Amino acid sequence: MNKNSAQLVKEQQKYKILIRNLRKQQEEMNNGKTNVKQADSNQSK
Amino acid sequence: MERLTLSKLIVISQSESRSLEVPFGEGLNIILGGNKTGKSSIIKSIFTTLGCECKKVEADWKKIISAYMLFFKYGEKKFCIVRQGNKFQIFEYNGNAYFCLIETESFHEYSNCLMDVLKIKMPCISKDGKQFNVTPPLLFRFQYIDQDEGWTKIADSFSNVAYIKDWKPNTNKYVSGYLDDSYYELQAQKNEHIIERDDKRKELNYSQNFVSRITSTVSMMEKIECVEDVTKKLELLIAEAEKMRKIRFSINAEMTVLENDIYVNQQKLHIVSHNIKETQKDIEYAMMQNDELVCPICGTVYSNGLEEQLNITSDYEHGEKLMLELTNNIARANERMEGLKTEYNNITSDIQIVEESIQTSQELLVYSSFYKNKGQYEIYESCKKQLDVIQKEIDAHVFEISKIEERITEKKSSQRSKAIRQEIEKFCSTLADAINLPKTFIKLRDFVQIIDRTGSETPRLVYMYQSALYLYNLDRAYSPFNFYVIDTPNQQGQDVDNLQSVFKSLELLSSNEGQVIVGTERETGLESVASTVISLSEKRRCLNDADYKEHISLFESLQNEASQWVFDNHKMMKTNNRA
């Protein structure tokens, strides 16, 4: 494997990690919103 | 059996120092005496001495008589019975003196001894199940008509009979000769064969069990040429078992490794499966984002084009391939595992078979040394041969039993019973003629006359039957039934004509082949032909002191002989006990 291919694989890995992290982040945020909504709805009751 | 003839009766009163001797001859003997002269007491004393308890005995007589001595002949032999209270002694005359056969206070011991003397064997059972030989009151019950109830009931003068089971029918049949000694002899033989057959059956059963228990082992042993073969085989088997155990161990080891692989692959599969799901979500997320993505930490801008998204998708495809591969691996491992399990089970059961063979061979070696060295094999062989012998013996007993049963059935046949009944009826008929009784009154049940008449016909029926039975037995053979004692009834109010006809009929009974003793108040008219006539005149004074010294001396000499017998017998028993 030459240097460029290794670089390319590294880049791809980084991209995949970024996607995974961003997705997780969003899922956490979505979960947090859902929790807040649930808490609100509980209070209004 | 022999003829029984009474010779004399001696009664002794030691308290009054008086005694009486009454001699008896062949044929007719008459004891003549008025009321209360003691004739009935003398007659009852004959039976008392024999052990027959008469129902009514004068209390005075019972009180004063201390010893009864009855001398009698049985065939050519002479005997004497002495009775003092409950004590019985039997003596036999040997030509010079009397020697004691028994002294006992047990009635049945005495009775059994007397029956041995008379050679009579008729087994009886008491109502509480005890077994013994027939007793005198049963044997002699038809030979006495007592002055009280004797003229109203047949053969019912003695009180010590009721405790015996079926005493009436059994003695009726015995005395009439229907079920006689030969019948009881057959029964005894049958019982002996039954006992021996049962013993042999037990022996056969035991031997069969012994033989069958050992046959299987021995049949295997017979295949062995020598012990060394078994030993070599045993060594090979042990080696084979060891080899198989090693194989089983390696299978077990491979199974453990395989189990581990399966576990690891399943873990991998679980992880890959999880990753695939995550990657799937990543793809969906990436497809939803803009063409460029900025890292929130370092600010680097990444291209989010189709190429990049395809790159993630290829990860997904790789994951799926990996999953497939892992699943296949697990399946293959499971398949191999199943194979190994089968192999393991097969080899386990093979080991078990080899171990059983080892055990059998080891047992064979033990049995082999046991039977061949200790001679037990010979016992087994002889036992096997003995089975046939025992079976043949059993068959022989069964055959004998059936033969005896046939003879018993023949004896008990209705034809024979009818012939005997007709014979007794013939004698009844002769007597009925002599005492003016219609022959239609003759009705026998169990060979005994039925008393179904009243008035003066009852005593005549009793007399007719018992006299006819005496004549029948006299005609049949010599036997203990060849003496007959008639005590005429208390004669106040008796029909004189009837009494005269009874006296006249005594002529029929006066044969010297037998012996008849008649007690009477009035002369019978046969005194001139009677062999002895004893006249009693004094009331309550029939005992006298004329021969007392002689009688007491005879009595004492018998007592000395009895004491010596008791001493010798006691010594003998002691010696036997020690032995």
Side-chain angles (χ1 to χ4, degrees), chain A residues 18-43:
Chain A
L18 179 68
I19 288 286
R20 174 74 49 97
N21 285 338
L22 288 173
R23 179 172 67 81
K24 290 274 175 193
Q25 220 171 20
Q26 195 178 353
E27 275 174 5
E28 273 169 23
M29 273 171 64
N30 289 343
N31 281 343
K33 274 181 189 170
T34 315
N35 289 341
V36 172
K37 270 183 187 173
Q38 273 177 354
D40 289 349
S41 65
N42 284 341
Q43 274 176 0

Side-chain angles (χ1 to χ4, degrees), chain A residues 8-27, chain B residues 275 278-279 281-282 285-286 289 293-296 302-304 308-309 311-312 315:
Chain A
L8 186 64
V9 170
K10 234 179 198 175
E11 287 296 314
Q12 281 175 353
Q13 276 304 110
K14 277 184 180 172
Y15 164 76
K16 283 173 193 170
I17 292 164
L18 179 68
I19 288 286
R20 174 74 49 97
N21 285 338
L22 288 173
R23 179 172 67 81
K24 290 274 175 193
Q25 220 171 20
Q26 195 178 353
E27 275 174 5
Chain B
N275 262 333
E278 288 296 302
T279 308
K281 284 178 186 170
D282 287 347
Y285 179 78
Q289 301 308 311
L293 290 170
V294 183
C295 174
Y302 292 91
S303 162
N304 182 30
E308 282 76 16
Q309 286 170 13
N311 193 4
I312 306 175
D315 277 359

Side-chain angles (χ1 to χ4, degrees), chain B residues 141-142 145 150-156 168-169 171-173 175-176 420-433 435 437-454 456-470 472 484:
Chain B
R141 70 190 187 95
F142 288 99
I145 302 181
W151 290 85
T152 53
K153 287 177 188 169
I154 287 174
D156 197 15
K168 270 187 185 173
T171 46
N172 294 353
K173 286 167 191 159
V175 175
S176 64
I420 289 170
R421 204 171 56 243
Q422 282 174 345
E423 193 67 13
I424 297 172
E425 279 170 354
K426 201 177 81 188
F427 285 99
C428 285
S429 188
T430 310
L431 260 300
D433 274 345
I435 57 172
L437 264 182
K439 285 175 190 166
T440 49
F441 286 9
I442 302 169
K443 282 180 206 161
L444 303 191
R445 183 190 294 150
D446 262 351
F447 311 104
V448 176
Q449 173 67 36
I450 300 168
I451 304 295
D452 57 356
R453 301 280 157 181
T454 52
S456 71
E457 283 159 358
T458 300
R460 282 189 293 155
L461 268 178
V462 171
Y463 173 78
M464 174 204 76
Y465 173 73
Q466 289 196 216
S467 303
L469 189 67
Y470 166 72
Y472 162 77
Y484 179 34

Side-chain angles (χ1 to χ4, degrees), chain B residues 71-166:
Chain B
F71 296 79
F72 66 92
K73 270 168 68 181
Y74 192 60
E76 291 305 310
K77 290 181 174 178
K78 290 178 180 175
F79 298 91
C80 170
I81 298 171
V82 177
R83 182 172 181 183
Q84 302 165 74
N86 288 330
K87 187 160 81 184
F88 290 90
Q89 295 157 338
I90 304 177
F91 300 90
E92 186 177 347
Y93 190 66
N94 65 0
N96 292 314
Y98 281 96
F99 63 93
C100 184
L101 298 178
I102 194 168
E103 176 183 300
T104 179
E105 291 200 1
S106 153
F107 172 68
H108 283 288
E109 263 180 34
Y110 149 74
S111 169
N112 286 343
C113 181
L114 181 64
M115 294 310 145
D116 285 347
V117 165
L118 303 179
K119 298 183 187 77
I120 286 175
K121 270 187 184 163
M122 179 196 160
C124 293
I125 304 171
S126 66
K127 284 173 183 168
D128 59 3
K130 284 175 190 145
Q131 277 196 330
F132 42 81
N133 205 346
V134 66
T135 60
L138 285 180
L139 196 70
F140 299 126
R141 70 190 187 95
F142 288 99
Q143 288 160 252
Y144 179 38
I145 302 181
D146 75 81
Q147 65 167 1
D148 309 307
E149 288 178 359
W151 290 85
T152 53
K153 287 177 188 169
I154 287 174
D156 197 15
S157 298
F158 307 129
S159 58
N160 53 338
V161 284
Y163 67 98
I164 296 166
K165 208 175 162 191
D166 297 331

